């Protein structure tokens, strides 16, 4: 027989269970229910009665715990203990509790998945989950884990489509409900997933403007957050690139080029990267860095010299000289008098050359075609051709001294008349000789330069004379100045003034008219002012 003490113990155990352990089963998110209470001393078994609005369930258990399945809904329960004879005690008071709806289980997306998108802004994402018994409606809650985005929608189906921003990580929960019950908020099934954005565009690498490389820059593609890069240097012997430096997450659109790196040919390879977006294709750029000092001061001096420096490789030259000259002719074969003409004309000059940065020697060849307009003679044409080498020296940071030497072929008009001036003869004298010149070019700005020059042409070997007599060595000279302007890396123009004297002499020849010439030399001389318009282009 159960005593009053036993009954009190049972009641105390039940109320302890109701006050302390009830949340354990009341918050259960599944239909599996576990009821547990404090055991009664000397109790050999327990009777458990569970009632719903429609049904009553009775269970017996030897332990102070019961586990089973109950449909979602509202219940009340009571318990009593039995002693070793099987005699039951009194029932406890009923205690109400409820069983939540089961928490819906996501089918899509799954936790840890990536939803790929080809868009740069938003992407429609389809959510699916398993139907919950007794669930009539669902609440889908989606929020960005690294953004302020959050959206909730209610629906009756087991799927939904939601427009989400790309390149974002999300957390989604789904909660079931009916008219009176919900799934347990503390037991929500949670999925975390990523909606990736469109693949990033590759950065556009910018060729360093000079050999004084201190950084390599590129343009920022849309949505890029950082960059991975590899810097390689070409081995001069094997012509293969070896890795010098790598970076996995460089912030900013420039890779520092360390001053400790030696000069040479380098290759940098860069990719755009960003959170939750596929990295771009890798792009590469080759560049050459100067050996030694690459500081801003060294670059400033080098930039200053750009107005006067020829770059490496082939270059072309072209110029046009506007001539205003005084022509003098002294011919003792015919008249024995000096005739003088003032004339204007032009000289077209063109040539090609080759020079390197490392070698102070350079080479070029040029040809001139000149025309003079002389009263009574019409247009007089004559030519010149020269092959030269030059040697460059650097007397100071802003200047360059050049010496030029070569061979030259020159022609000069030989215009003669008789005593009466009724017979006018046009011919040309031609000779081979040497050419020596000096130039000093001073850089005033990286674009603007000033050049002073002087040239001498010792003509030593006659190629053609009017009377067929021997050529007498003579000398032509030229001096002037030019102002240069460098428009681009390849194009430089010059303009300036020159004074030039061209003179050729040859032996006289006795004739029946003048069997004894008054002198032994005939001569032709051009003295003039030249306006020089000059263009040099790096090929």
């Amino acid at each position: 027989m159960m005593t009053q003490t036993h009954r009190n113990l049972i009641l105390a155990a039940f109320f302890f269970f109701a006050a302390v352990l009830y949340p354990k089963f009341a918050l259960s998110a599944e239909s599996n229910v576990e009821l547990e209470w404090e055991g009664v001393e000397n109790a050999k078994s327990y009777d458990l009665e569970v009632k719903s609005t429609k049904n009553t369930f009775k269970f017996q258990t030897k332990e102070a715990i019961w586990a089973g399945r109950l449909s979602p809904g509202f219940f009340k329960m009571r318990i009593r203990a039995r002693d070793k004879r099987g005699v039951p005690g009194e029932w406890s008071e009923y205690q109400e509790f409820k069983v939540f709806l089961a928490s819906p289980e996501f089918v899509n997306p799954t936790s840890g998945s990536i939803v790929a998108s080809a868009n740069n802004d938003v992407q429609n994402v389809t959510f699916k989950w398993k139907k919950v018994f007794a669930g009539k409606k669902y609440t889908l809650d989606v929020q960005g884990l690294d953004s302020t985005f959050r959206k909730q929608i209610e629906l009756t189906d087991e799927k939904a489509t939601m427009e989400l921003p790309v390149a974002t990580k999300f957390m989604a929960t789904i909660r079931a409900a009916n008219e009176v019950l919900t799934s347990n908020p503390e037991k929500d099934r949670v999925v975390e997933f990523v909606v990736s954005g469109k693949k990033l565009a590759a950065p556009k690498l910018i060729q360093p403007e000079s050999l004084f490389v201190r950084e390599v820059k590129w343009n920022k593609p849309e949505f890029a957050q950082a960059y991975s890069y590899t810097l390689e240097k070409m081995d001069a012997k094997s012509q293969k690139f070896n890795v010098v430096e790598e970076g996995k997450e460089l912030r900013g659109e420039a890779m520092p080029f360390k001053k400790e790196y030696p000069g040479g040919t380098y290759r940098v390879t860069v990719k755009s990267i960003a959170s939750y977006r596929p990295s771009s294709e890798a792009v590469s750029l080759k560049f050459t860095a100067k050996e030694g000092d690459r500081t801003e001061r060294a670059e400033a001096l080098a930039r200053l010299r750009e107005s006067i420096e020829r770059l490496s490789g082939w270059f072309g030259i072209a110029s046009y000289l506007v001539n205003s000259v005084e022509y003098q002719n002294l011919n003792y074969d015919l008249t024995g008098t000096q005739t003088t003409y003032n004339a204007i004309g032009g000289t077209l000059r063109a040539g090609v050359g080759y020079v390197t940065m490392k070698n102070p020697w350079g080479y070029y060849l040029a040809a001139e075609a000149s025309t003079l307009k002389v009263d009574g003679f019409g247009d007089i044409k004559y030519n010149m051709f020269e092959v030269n080498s030059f040697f460059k020296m650097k007397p100071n940071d802003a200047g360059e001294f050049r010496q030029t030497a070569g061979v030259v072929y020159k022609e000069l008009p030989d215009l003669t008349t008789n005593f009466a001036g009724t017979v006018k003869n046009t011919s040309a004298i031609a000779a081979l000789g040497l050419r020596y010149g000096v130039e000093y070019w001073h850089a005033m700005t990286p674009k603007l330069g000033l050049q002073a020059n002087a040239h001498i042409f010792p003509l030593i070997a006659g190629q053609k004379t009017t009377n067929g007599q021997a050529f007498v060595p003579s000398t032509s000279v030229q001096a002037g100045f030019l102002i240069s302007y460098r428009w681009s890396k390849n194009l430089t123009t010059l303009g300036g003034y020159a004074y030039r004297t061209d003179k050729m002499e040859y032996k006289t020849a006795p004739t029946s008219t003048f069997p004894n010439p008054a002198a032994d030399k005939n001569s032709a001389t051009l003295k003039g002012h030249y306006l020089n318009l000059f263009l040099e282009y790096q090929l």
Side-chain angles (χ1 to χ4, degrees):
M1 180 71 92
M2 181 173 291
T3 66
Q4 184 63 38
T5 301
H6 287 158
R7 286 194 293 271
N8 291 339
L9 287 173
I10 291 173
L11 289 173
F14 175 79
F15 287 113
F16 171 80
F17 157 75
V20 179
L21 300 182
Y22 168 68
K24 183 174 181 180
F25 65 81
L27 297 177
S28 174
E30 301 288 342
S31 296
N32 293 323
V33 178
E34 185 179 278
L35 306 178
E36 185 178 1
W37 56 92
E38 186 177 347
V40 177
E41 185 179 359
N42 297 322
K44 297 301 180 181
S45 63
Y46 301 91
D47 294 333
L48 171 65
E49 185 181 271
V50 178
K51 283 189 174 183
S52 67
T53 56
K54 296 181 180 180
N55 300 302
T56 299
F57 307 97
K58 294 183 178 180
F59 308 99
Q60 282 193 339
T61 176
K62 294 181 178 182
E63 305 295 333
I65 187 172
W66 177 85
R69 293 179 63 82
L70 293 175
S71 299
F74 293 92
F75 296 86
K76 60 182 180 178
M77 59 163 286
R78 63 181 181 171
I79 56 173
R80 67 183 179 181
R82 291 179 181 269
D83 62 17
K84 63 182 179 179
R85 297 170 299 171
V87 177
E90 294 185 9
W91 288 101
S92 66
E93 297 293 330
Y94 280 105
Q95 179 68 38
E96 293 182 350
F97 68 96
K98 66 180 177 180
V99 176
F100 287 105
L101 296 176
S103 294
E105 181 180 351
F106 276 103
V107 175
N108 182 73
T110 56
S111 197
S113 64
I114 297 176
V115 179
S117 174
N119 303 326
N120 276 327
D121 46 9
V122 294
Q123 175 67 34
N124 288 326
V125 178
T126 299
F127 294 85
K128 294 182 180 179
W129 52 91
K130 293 181 180 179
K131 183 178 178 62
V132 171
F133 174 75
K136 299 296 181 63
K137 60 182 179 179
Y138 302 91
T139 300
L140 176 63
D141 185 357
V142 181
Q143 57 183 310
L145 295 179
D146 45 12
S147 70
T148 59
F149 177 87
R150 185 166 188 177
K151 188 174 183 179
Q152 288 183 331
I153 56 174
E154 289 190 358
L155 32 89
T156 56
D157 294 330
E158 291 78 47
K159 65 178 180 178
T161 299
M162 188 179 292
E163 188 178 78
L164 301 179
V166 301
T168 306
K169 187 174 184 179
F170 295 93
M171 178 181 73
T173 59
I174 183 70
R175 193 168 297 159
N178 57 27
E179 295 82 355
V180 293
L181 290 172
T182 66
S183 56
N184 189 350
E186 296 184 9
K187 299 293 182 179
D188 284 338
R189 302 284 182 89
V190 178
V191 293
E192 293 185 2
F193 62 96
V194 170
V195 179
S196 66
K198 184 179 180 180
K199 185 175 182 178
L200 293 171
K204 184 178 180 181
L205 304 183
I206 302 172
Q207 186 73 38
E209 294 181 355
S210 72
L211 300 178
F212 295 82
V213 183
R214 293 185 294 277
E215 61 181 4
V216 179
K217 298 180 180 181
W218 50 83
N219 294 326
K220 180 182 179 181
E222 189 177 17
F223 305 114
Q225 297 174 342
Y227 307 89
S228 64
Y229 69 91
T230 301
L231 178 66
E232 303 167 284
K233 184 179 185 297
M234 178 185 286
D235 181 77
K237 293 183 178 180
S238 66
Q239 296 294 295
K240 293 183 179 179
F241 283 96
N242 301 314
V243 175
V244 174
E245 179 185 339
E246 290 183 300
K248 299 298 183 183
E249 193 171 344
L250 175 67
R251 300 287 175 173
E253 286 69 51
M255 181 206 72
F257 187 77
K258 298 177 181 178
K259 63 181 181 180
E260 296 83 9
Y261 289 155
T265 300
Y266 287 83
R267 179 173 66 191
V268 62
T269 303
V270 183
K271 290 197 298 185
S272 305
I273 58 176
S275 299
Y276 314 128
R277 293 181 187 271
S279 298
S280 72
E281 298 294 333
V283 289
S284 297
L285 173 72
K286 290 182 182 179
F287 64 92
T288 302
K290 177 185 178 297
E291 186 69 53
D293 189 1
R294 294 191 293 266
T295 62
E296 291 184 5
R297 180 182 181 278
E299 182 178 12
L301 291 174
R303 285 190 177 277
L304 181 63
R305 294 183 60 84
E306 284 182 0
S307 63
I308 61 175
E309 284 278 13
R310 285 193 175 105
L311 302 179
S312 292
W314 291 94
F315 63 91
I317 55 176
S319 67
Y320 188 77
L321 292 79
V322 179
N323 312 337
S324 176
V325 301
E326 178 185 81
Y327 177 80
Q328 297 177 347
N329 178 274
L330 186 57
N331 190 295
Y332 291 95
D333 293 348
L334 298 176
T335 65
T337 61
Q338 176 176 298
T339 55
T340 301
Y341 304 96
N342 292 318
I344 60 171
T347 298
L348 180 64
R349 178 180 175 87
V352 65
Y354 182 81
V355 67
T356 65
M357 292 290 289
K358 295 182 179 180
N359 192 338
W361 286 96
Y363 311 91
Y364 74 91
L365 57 88
E368 289 185 1
S370 300
T371 301
L372 281 181
K373 292 184 177 295
V374 182
D375 289 341
F377 291 89
D379 291 344
I380 308 300
K381 300 181 184 297
Y382 56 101
N383 304 304
M384 184 180 77
F385 182 80
E386 56 184 320
V387 179
N388 298 285
S389 63
F390 58 88
F391 184 80
K392 303 182 296 179
M393 293 180 288
K394 183 180 175 183
N396 53 59
D397 289 336
E400 182 171 288
F401 181 72
R402 300 175 186 172
Q403 297 185 76
T404 305
V407 295
V408 62
Y409 169 84
K410 287 179 70 73
E411 295 179 350
L412 198 62
D414 194 12
L415 308 179
T416 60
T417 65
N418 58 7
F419 275 117
T422 56
V423 178
K424 299 180 183 294
N425 297 312
T426 302
S427 60
I429 313 168
L432 284 174
L434 303 177
R435 180 188 190 279
Y436 176 76
V438 292
E439 300 173 359
Y440 178 73
W441 214 340
H442 187 81
M444 295 184 288
T445 73
K447 295 285 189 182
L448 196 64
L450 177 64
Q451 182 196 108
N453 58 75
H455 308 272
I456 185 170
F457 303 85
L459 303 174
I460 55 178
Q463 300 298 300
K464 179 183 177 183
T465 60
T466 302
N467 61 8
Q469 297 299 306
F471 180 81
V472 178
S474 55
T475 300
S476 296
V477 294
Q478 177 181 322
F481 68 89
L482 292 168
I483 296 175
S484 65
Y485 188 84
R486 188 159 213 156
W487 295 93
S488 68
K489 179 180 177 181
N490 299 89
L491 178 63
T492 301
T493 57
L494 304 94
Y497 165 82
Y499 181 81
R500 181 166 162 178
T501 298
D502 291 310
K503 185 175 182 179
M504 291 189 186
E505 298 178 314
Y506 59 96
K507 295 288 187 179
T508 57
T511 64
S512 57
T513 306
F514 293 95
N516 297 303
D520 60 353
K521 295 185 295 182
N522 298 325
S523 65
T525 304
L526 268 178
K527 296 180 181 180
H529 305 277
Y530 293 78
L531 176 62
N532 193 353
L533 304 174
F534 189 98
L535 179 147
E536 184 175 295
Y537 187 80
Q538 187 77 28
L539 301 176

